[in-house]
Amino acid sequence: MIERVLDGRTVCICAGSGGVGKTTTAAAIGLGMAARGRRVAVLTIDPARRLADALGLTELGNEARLVDAGAEGELWALTLDAKRTFDELVELHAPDAATRDAVLGNRIYQELSRAVAGSQEYMAMEKLYDLHHEGGFDLLVLDTPPTRSALDFLDAPADLTAFIDSRTFRVLTAPTRFGMRLFGRGGGLALSALERATGVRLLQDLSEFFTSFGTMSEGFRRRADAVDRLLAGDDTSFVLVTAPRRDAVEEAIFFRERLDEAGMPFGGVVANRVHAIPAEATAAGLAGPLGEELARRVEADLGDQRRLSERDRRTLAALRRLLSGRPMIQIPELDRDVHDLDGLRALEPHLFGGAA
Amino acid sequence: MATLLDRRLVFVTGKGGVGKTVVAAALGLLAARAGRRAVVCELSGQQRLAGVLPGHGGGGPDLISIDAETARRDWLRRELRSGALAGILGRSRAFDLLTAAAPGLSELLTIGKVWDLVDGGEPGRAAYELAIVDGPSTGQALALLEAPHTYAGVARAGPVHSRSLLIEDFLVDRARTAVVAVALPEEMPVNETIQLAASLASLGASLELVALNGMLPRRYREEEAALMRGLEESLPGGERAAVRVALAGHERSRDQHREAKRLRAGVAARVATLPFLFEPELRMAELEVLADRLAEAAA
Ligand SMILES: Nc1ncnc2c1ncn2[C@@H]1O[C@H](COP(=O)(O)OP(=O)(O)OP(=O)(O)O)[C@@H](O)[C@H]1O
Ligand SMILES: Nc1ncnc2c1ncn2[C@@H]1O[C@H](COP(=O)(O)OP(=O)(O)OP(=O)(O)O)[C@@H](O)[C@H]1O
Ligand SMILES: [Mg+2]
Ligand SMILES: [Mg+2]
């Protein structure tokens, strides 16, 4: 089942729309593979530390921590601290100590590297690449944040490269006269418009910032290219997690298209929280043992559950069309929500096969 | 304390998939019912509400979808006060690339666009009295709300600096801005909501209301559940299956109430519960039901 989705690949990225169970699935895949003797690391980009919640851990940091899961193999977990990853990158790419200190000490750098927003996805890719490159794990599972732009991380390396290669970057890192010429004809006008839109002072500050960054741009670019190759390569498998609801499935279809456009490998689908009530369930003979009134309430209950089951069945039929031969794994709506190792273990037979 | 609908901005956030879009839409309906010139802003780029809400003509709120692209264009038009200059800068892609590269800048422009709709420094001339934002999930929402503070510091002078300061003031002013969290009565979403309240406090903002969504009907009393449990094994297959379905739902509902209690203990904000609706898809009629349930909390 999930092993067919992974197909022996060493990087698994769980993506999907909000609340469908990406974190749960990522953690359960990690736990299940660790139980099969693998050394696995599960990473999340999540500021709200959901993975920590799911794994019953209290503290996670940029360093992977071993989860006490009693597994045959090892399960490691980490949530990303984007600022720390950023700092580490600067240390890696800075040609000398002076440059490193100039960047780390730069006021703008300090403000911006804390404002984690857009840089998070990029940093996650960095860390993923890093761990992959070091090669200490048999499998890396990445949990992604809940946005449509979750797939923005696919573009993050390219965005950065585009910026480094752009005129804007050169203008910002070059003396003004020279910079203006780089804008080409009408360039002076564009630059002064840019100054007006952002403020001269901010532009100067940014210029200083990017100038100190400039010496590292080559390193960043090479790195971004390498990350891109990793994502599109034979080591990676994208798992689309979805709920059996129309809006979630529409998002999954959208994600699938984005993956194809970006040339990223689609591994398969996990349809999570599927409602299914046993076909034989009936309240017909309950009036005797339960009394009529209570039996009627059970009947109403069954009716509601049947509607959900029917909805899910229909939505999943639509979903099948996007599989093009890749597997779809169904996980039922469990009786309790999943928030600890035991909950994750309840998912295992569905993910790995052997479910009743 | 001003009621929810007397603010200029109601910012809805919460964990992924908990019902943020649905709650924002229901609040939009309430605002329109109360006669506010209101707009619901979708930030997700999904534009899911256009097919569900009746729109202004039908007595609903206006709808607008704000993406990074439009936010950027509007910022340029506003700051340059010249379509031609904005065009030149737009074509050079200089600003696009800058916003893509400078972390948090595109968040600033997005929240700036929302602020423009209801305030823009001249609240009397703003297009709307109230903007209800169908915000992104918790982490990204915090980044949006934090961006003005960050850029008020990053830019020491100039238009970015001055607008950032105004927007920051606006966002932390409880008379004008309210943050609403949507949660599900499950352990992880509840934890996330409690964390959100703490993070908002550290930004100087505060959580006004939690919409606790998806509460299952409580169909059975404990002694009825006990009766069913006792009989379960002795029933024929079909009836046994039915009773198991009923008992599973009962357990779930019990777990939900435990989580609801934990939430109430963990946040100072008001908590309004919303029922789980079994319709295959939520349409206008269901949104009306949810709006009714929110009416009291919003008043
Ligand atoms: N099969 C299941 N049965 C019952 N509850 C489940 C199941 N899978 C996940 N859940 C519950 O659903 C909720 C959402 O799961 P999870 O946090 O993994 O989703 P997510 O996609 O990572 O969310 P986000 O988009 O917010 O990151 C959690 O409360 C979890 O306990
Ligand atoms: N009270 C409810 N009863 C039944 N279904 C609901 C309820 N509230 C929301 N839903 C359904 O749950 C799903 C998620 O709701 P919604 O899209 O509003 O969540 P969201 O938080 O905006 O998600 P996202 O993080 O993806 O933007 C939708 O299919 C919606 O119809
Ligand atoms: Mg998650
Ligand atoms: Mg939404």
Side-chain angles (χ1 to χ4, degrees):
Chain A
M1 301 262 273
I2 195 70
E3 284 160 297
R4 242 193 87 208
V5 173
L6 297 178
D7 214 6
R9 294 173 182 233
T10 51
V11 175
C12 164
I13 301 179
C14 296
S17 57
V20 293
K22 296 176 291 298
T23 303
T24 306
T25 303
I29 291 175
L31 187 62
M33 292 302 276
R36 283 158 183 74
R38 275 358 110 69
R39 210 172 122 87
V40 189
V42 184
L43 288 77
T44 179
I45 330 180
D46 211 322
R49 308 204 153 188
R50 279 169 217 146
L51 186 66
D53 265 9
L55 295 176
L57 296 179
T58 47
E59 214 189 310
L60 286 181
N62 236 23
E63 296 306 312
R65 277 165 204 246
L66 186 60
V67 179
D68 183 15
E72 174 131 335
E74 289 172 18
L75 176 61
W76 294 75
L78 69 156
T79 50
L80 274 189
D81 179 338
K83 160 117 179 92
R84 280 243 297 277
T85 311
F86 221 136
D87 290 354
E88 284 167 19
L89 262 186
V90 169
E91 283 163 19
L92 177 71
H93 292 309
D96 50 53
T99 312
R100 180 197 62 206
D101 295 344
V103 172
L104 293 181
N106 183 289
R107 195 179 55 85
I108 299 228
Y109 174 81
Q110 287 175 352
E111 298 265 13
L112 290 187
S113 58
R114 241 183 307 114
V116 286
S119 48
Q120 281 231 323
E121 280 81 14
Y122 177 71
M123 290 304 137
M125 292 301 110
E126 272 299 331
K127 195 72 195 179
L128 188 70
Y129 176 82
D130 210 37
L131 289 171
H132 179 72
H133 195 69
E134 280 172 10
F137 294 98
D138 302 322
L139 176 66
L140 299 169
V141 187
L142 179 73
D143 170 34
T144 60
T147 43
R148 181 162 220 178
S149 61
L151 284 189
D152 281 357
F153 62 74
L154 298 179
D155 301 329
D159 276 355
L160 187 77
T161 312
F163 180 65
I164 289 171
D165 289 338
S166 73
R167 284 197 193 128
T168 317
F169 185 74
R170 279 181 281 160
V171 168
L172 284 172
T173 55
T176 322
R177 288 262 125 239
F178 175 60
M180 269 178 3
R181 260 187 282 132
L182 283 173
F183 267 113
R185 234 149 51 88
L189 210 51
L191 185 62
S192 71
L194 183 61
E195 279 174 358
R196 249 171 76 187
T198 28
V200 179
R201 189 66 185 273
L202 175 58
L203 216 51
Q204 275 167 3
D205 284 349
L206 283 173
S207 159
E208 194 185 302
F209 166 59
F210 285 120
T211 304
S212 60
F213 233 88
T215 52
M216 301 190 299
S217 58
E218 199 40 47
F220 269 88
R221 190 217 320 269
R222 250 183 286 120
R223 195 54 185 235
D225 289 346
V227 170
D228 232 14
R229 279 198 302 276
L230 170 63
L231 291 184
D234 293 339
D235 288 337
T236 302
S237 172
F238 281 85
V239 176
L240 292 186
V241 184
T242 184
R245 287 191 318 260
R246 210 183 87 174
D247 54 308
V249 165
E250 276 167 9
E251 282 297 284
I253 292 170
F254 171 82
F255 275 33
R256 169 80 215 260
E257 284 163 4
R258 287 275 327 258
L259 284 182
D260 288 352
E261 274 164 29
M264 309 280 170
F266 165 60
V269 169
V270 170
N272 189 27
R273 306 193 77 162
V274 179
H275 298 86
I277 73 164
E280 75 274 16
T282 170
L286 284 178
L290 298 184
E292 263 185 38
E293 197 270 336
L294 181 53
R296 251 200 312 276
R297 274 184 276 150
V298 174
E299 172 86 67
D301 213 347
L302 280 185
D304 284 342
Q305 293 302 326
R306 269 201 204 96
R307 276 157 88 193
L308 289 183
S309 305
E310 181 54 23
R311 176 197 73 177
D312 291 1
R313 202 184 53 73
R314 262 193 244 148
T315 335
L316 291 186
L319 183 61
R320 280 214 176 77
R321 279 181 235 125
L322 98 139
L323 293 175
S324 42
R326 300 303 309 168
M328 172 162 87
I329 297 174
Q330 291 189 39
I331 301 178
E333 168 84 3
L334 300 173
D335 288 345
R336 326 204 85 138
D337 59 280
V338 183
H339 53 258
D340 56 15
L341 288 174
D342 283 341
L344 291 174
R345 286 195 187 100
L347 253 59
E348 191 181 315
H350 305 286
L351 271 175
F352 286 83
Chain B
M1 186 81 264
T3 74
L4 212 53
L5 301 182
D6 288 328
R7 317 293 169 93
R8 305 307 295 255
L9 169 64
V10 173
F11 191 99
V12 181
T13 181
K15 186 172 159 30
V18 294
K20 297 180 291 295
T21 302
V22 163
V23 166
L27 289 171
L29 284 177
L30 273 186
R33 274 192 211 160
R36 297 287 185 288
R37 258 185 307 123
V39 61
V40 176
C41 313
E42 286 186 89
L43 301 189
S44 58
Q46 293 171 305
Q47 302 190 22
R48 281 193 27 221
L49 291 177
V52 186
L53 287 177
H56 189 71
D62 274 356
L63 288 177
I64 183 172
S65 170
I66 301 177
D67 54 30
E69 182 79 36
T70 42
R72 218 154 43 213
R73 231 183 305 120
D74 286 0
W75 177 285
L76 287 183
R77 210 174 295 130
R78 189 191 151 93
E79 290 308 327
L80 298 175
R81 284 189 208 88
S82 142
L85 268 185
I88 288 173
L89 191 48
R91 273 194 300 283
S92 81
R93 292 197 63 226
F95 197 62
D96 292 10
L97 288 164
L98 187 66
T99 45
L105 190 50
S106 97
E107 280 79 5
L108 175 68
L109 303 195
T110 300
I111 196 73
K113 166 79 194 170
V114 172
W115 174 75
D116 265 348
L117 291 171
V118 289
D119 189 299
E122 293 172 284
R125 296 179 52 189
Y128 294 98
E129 291 169 315
L130 172 63
I132 293 157
V133 173
D134 170 20
S137 54
T138 324
Q140 251 106 7
L142 286 168
L144 267 179
L145 296 171
E146 200 175 4
H149 177 75
T150 305
Y151 273 86
V154 165
R156 286 177 287 187
V160 174
H161 176 75
S162 51
R163 286 194 90 190
S164 295
L165 278 183
L166 285 173
I167 301 171
E168 187 188 359
D169 273 356
F170 176 82
L171 291 177
V172 299
D173 178 3
R174 290 186 70 182
R176 289 182 288 169
T177 298
V179 179
V180 172
V182 185
L184 294 176
E186 293 173 10
E187 177 152 330
M188 287 207 275
V190 165
N191 289 355
E192 195 166 316
T193 310
I194 295 173
Q195 275 172 17
L196 171 69
S199 310
L200 284 172
S202 71
L203 290 183
S206 68
L207 186 61
E208 282 300 313
L209 173 70
V210 182
L212 189 56
N213 192 20
M215 292 296 286
L216 293 169
R218 217 173 182 178
R219 285 204 160 95
Y220 314 107
R221 290 192 301 272
E222 283 308 325
E223 54 284 14
E224 290 167 337
L227 171 68
M228 289 194 273
R229 242 177 256 120
L231 286 172
E232 188 182 330
E233 294 304 326
S234 65
L235 293 169
E239 278 76 5
R240 193 186 319 139
V243 160
R244 284 201 178 134
V245 169
L247 285 172
H250 179 70
E251 298 281 314
R252 219 163 220 293
S253 160
R254 223 177 29 194
D255 288 354
Q256 286 195 341
H257 279 83
R258 199 191 49 238
E259 290 304 324
K261 214 161 136 192
R262 210 163 58 81
L263 175 71
R264 285 199 167 89
V267 298
R270 247 183 316 171
V271 177
T273 55
L274 299 176
F276 182 87
L277 303 171
F278 289 90
E279 265 57 46
E281 231 172 301
L282 302 196
R283 307 193 162 280
M284 191 56 187
E286 288 75 41
L287 291 181
E288 297 275 12
V289 170
L290 298 178
D292 289 341
R293 291 289 287 262
L294 284 168
E296 198 181 323

